[in-house]
């Protein structure tokens, strides 16, 4: 009994000592079930803050200690954070990557240290050392982006004689999600392109041409400004924009407003969707500017991740995973894919406010 007590004391002292070493990161001290490493790409985007909080709080409630790190979208910083976590002896790594293909060395180190890796929201690519993927069904999310334009632009009424005019934006080329978003949206829009009811005056349609590195909304705004001055200087009016991300939607709307959309006669603001249901976009939707967004509830994703970590920590094998959809170039990664919801003015109350995703106060109501 005495020696048992000594072991416990030693463990406690080690934990406390470890706690003093983990400066800079955000972590619960002294939690008994082991340390979990969580890396998120950036604090400058609302969703990743919500994601980080949801995962951290959920794990801490179950008694785990959490080392949560953000890296300002800087790949070397993210790599270093993961290396440090491996050195600290985390039991599971939860990684939302910046560039999905840039972490192969870290993943190999994790595998060598027998640390399971959960790819969070964004698929880690080109490595067999990825154990699970927890995300939304990104192809379906893309389909919802397409549906937003189909409904918002009443594409079913458009014909080759009265085509609807749009420009297209895609997400970061180094983020595999961008592929699903683009493909899902384009598959929905294809019939309208095929019959000539939908047109892109710039001709910029290929994902590699319309991508936005690091989802940078300022870059997207510049591209929108260039498109407007190059292809819309005459009497061609832009009716809609395919946008994969709320800040890009808002930037594109700004670029349009600057050349008279929303104020000049015959130039209503284009129909724009988006993704992430950020506060600024919900406000814009309520103000009748951005048309819609796709809500991917970070609380649900966080909770699913927490359950998965806990299952692994109990030595159990997770069940009910999708083992077909996500090949990362090296293997099929067993995936848990959640559902997302289209949000327009009509369901902000029900799906955003009533569920507590954003409060009325956050939305300025
Ligand atoms: C996520 C989106 C997010 C985007 C930019 C993607 O990987 O799935 O929800 O808008 O990254 O952060």
């Amino acid at each position: 009994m005495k020696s048992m007590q000594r072991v416990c004391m030693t463990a406690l002292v080690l934990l406390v000592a470890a706690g003093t070493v983990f400066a800079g990161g955000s972590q619960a001290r002294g939690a008994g079930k082991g340390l979990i490493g969580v890396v998120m790409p950036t604090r400058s985007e609302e969703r990743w803050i919500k994601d980080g909080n949801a995962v951290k709080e959920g794990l801490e409630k179950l008694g785990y200690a959490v080392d949560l790190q953000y890296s300002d979208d800087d790949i070397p910083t993210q790599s270093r954070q993961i290396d440090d976590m491996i050195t600290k002896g985390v039991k599971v790594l939860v990684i939302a990557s910046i560039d999905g293909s840039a972490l192969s060395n870290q993943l190999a180190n994790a595998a060598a240290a027998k640390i399971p890796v959960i790819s969070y929201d964004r698929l880690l690519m080109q490595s067999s050392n990825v154990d699970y993927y927890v995300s939304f069904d990104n192809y379906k999310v893309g389909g919802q982006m397409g549906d937003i334009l189909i409904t918002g632009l009443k594409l079913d009424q458009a014909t080759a004689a009265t085509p609807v005019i749009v420009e297209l934006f895609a997400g970061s080329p180094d983020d595999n999600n961008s592929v699903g978003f683009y493909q899902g949206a384009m598959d929905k829009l294809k019939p309208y392109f095929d019959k000539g009811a939908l047109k892109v005056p710039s001709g910029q349609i290929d994902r590699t041409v319309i991508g936005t590195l690091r989802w940078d909304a300022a870059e997207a705004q510049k591209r929108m400004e260039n498109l407007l001055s190059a292809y819309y200087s005459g009497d061609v009016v832009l009716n809609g924009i395919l946008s994969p991300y709320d800040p890009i939607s808002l930037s594109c709307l700004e670029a349009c407003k600057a050349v008279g959309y929303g104020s000049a006669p015959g130039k209503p603001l284009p129909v724009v969707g988006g993704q992430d249901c950020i506060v600024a976009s919900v406000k814009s939707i309520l103000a009748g500017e951005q048309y819609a967004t796709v809500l991917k509830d970070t609380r649900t994703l966080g909770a699913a991740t927490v359950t998965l970590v806990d299952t692994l920590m109990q030595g159990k094998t997770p069940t009910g995973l999708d083992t077909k959809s996500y090949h990362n170039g090296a293997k099929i990664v067993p995936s848990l894919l959640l559902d997302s919801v289209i949000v327009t003015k009509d369901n902000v109350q029900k799906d955003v406010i009533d569920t507590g995703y954003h409060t009325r106060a956050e939305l300025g109501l």
Side-chain angles (χ1 to χ4, degrees):
M1 192 61 200
K2 276 261 164 64
S3 68
M4 193 57 201
Q5 273 171 355
R6 212 170 302 127
V7 171
C8 289
M9 276 308 289
T10 313
L12 194 66
V13 169
L14 280 178
L15 252 176
V16 173
T20 61
V21 175
F22 304 156
S26 144
Q27 54 214 285
R29 308 268 153 88
K33 285 189 175 172
L35 180 64
I36 311 298
V38 182
V39 291
M40 294 282 153
T42 175
R43 264 202 188 88
S44 67
E45 288 178 34
E46 193 176 301
R47 77 150 289 185
W48 300 114
I49 297 176
K50 279 178 170 272
D51 286 284
N53 291 342
V55 176
K56 183 175 186 294
E57 284 162 19
L59 286 170
E60 286 177 352
K61 263 196 202 127
L62 294 184
Y64 296 100
V66 179
D67 184 359
L68 168 64
Q69 301 285 345
Y70 288 85
S71 52
D72 280 339
D73 268 344
D74 183 60
I75 297 166
T77 304
Q78 185 168 68
S79 309
R80 211 168 34 246
Q81 288 169 343
I82 297 170
D83 283 334
D84 288 350
M85 287 176 179
I86 296 171
T87 308
K88 285 174 194 170
V90 294
K91 301 287 184 223
V92 178
L93 272 167
V94 177
I95 301 176
S97 57
I98 300 162
D99 176 335
S101 305
L103 298 173
S104 296
N105 290 342
Q106 283 64 38
L107 300 179
N109 294 342
K114 301 209 166 11
I115 301 169
V117 171
I118 299 173
S119 193
Y120 185 92
D121 190 72
R122 297 174 172 173
L123 186 58
L124 290 157
M125 303 297 290
Q126 313 300 340
S127 167
S128 53
N129 301 311
V130 187
D131 299 285
Y132 301 99
Y133 181 38
V134 186
S135 186
F136 294 84
D137 185 325
N138 296 298
Y139 179 79
K140 269 199 204 155
V141 172
Q144 290 174 317
M145 292 171 185
D147 284 338
I148 286 172
L149 291 186
I150 292 170
T151 313
L153 290 165
K154 301 192 173 58
L155 287 187
D156 286 328
Q157 294 168 23
T159 64
T162 54
V164 168
I165 304 297
V166 294
E167 292 294 339
L168 312 176
F169 286 74
S172 194
D174 55 4
D175 180 346
N176 184 61
N177 286 353
S178 303
V179 180
F181 301 154
Y182 174 80
Q183 211 46 61
M186 293 307 273
D187 286 352
K188 290 271 182 162
L189 298 177
K190 187 170 183 302
Y192 304 95
F193 280 121
D194 287 350
K195 66 177 184 195
L198 197 55
K199 291 214 173 335
V200 179
S202 70
Q204 297 178 12
I205 291 177
D206 198 85
R207 188 175 57 81
T208 53
V209 178
I210 63 169
T212 314
L213 186 63
R214 299 283 130 72
W215 305 87
D216 185 337
E219 277 306 308
Q221 184 160 347
K222 260 188 242 153
R223 180 167 168 257
M224 188 73 249
E225 287 163 359
N226 291 339
L227 291 171
L228 287 166
S229 66
Y231 301 97
Y232 296 84
S233 50
D235 54 7
V236 186
V237 174
L238 178 67
N239 306 126
I241 302 168
L242 175 68
S243 164
Y245 172 48
D246 284 343
I248 291 181
S249 318
L250 295 171
S251 296
C252 286
L253 284 171
E254 282 313 306
C256 291
K257 284 184 196 171
V259 294
Y261 283 87
S263 55
K267 282 175 107 181
L269 281 177
V271 169
V272 188
Q275 177 181 210
D276 285 350
C277 199
I278 66 169
V279 167
S281 283
V282 180
K283 285 183 174 173
S284 175
I285 289 170
L286 291 174
E289 297 198 339
Q290 186 171 327
Y291 173 70
T293 184
V294 178
L295 165 63
K296 303 193 305 187
D297 195 323
T298 48
R299 297 168 302 183
T300 319
L301 187 62
T305 306
V306 168
T307 304
L308 180 55
V309 170
D310 195 42
T311 304
L312 298 174
M313 290 296 285
Q314 289 177 37
K316 296 183 190 155
T317 306
T319 52
L321 301 181
D322 173 325
T323 50
K324 290 194 188 94
S325 302
Y326 279 94
H327 200 294
N328 76 347
K331 69 182 270 200
I332 290 181
V333 185
S335 306
L336 189 63
L337 303 173
L338 306 176
D339 285 331
S340 47
V341 176
I342 293 177
V343 174
T344 64
K345 218 176 190 173
D346 295 340
N347 62 334
V348 166
Q349 181 67 42
K350 171 173 161 282
D351 287 314
V352 180
I353 299 173
D354 292 352
T355 64
Y357 196 70
H358 296 312
T359 62
R360 292 185 69 81
E362 280 171 322
L363 299 173
L365 297 171

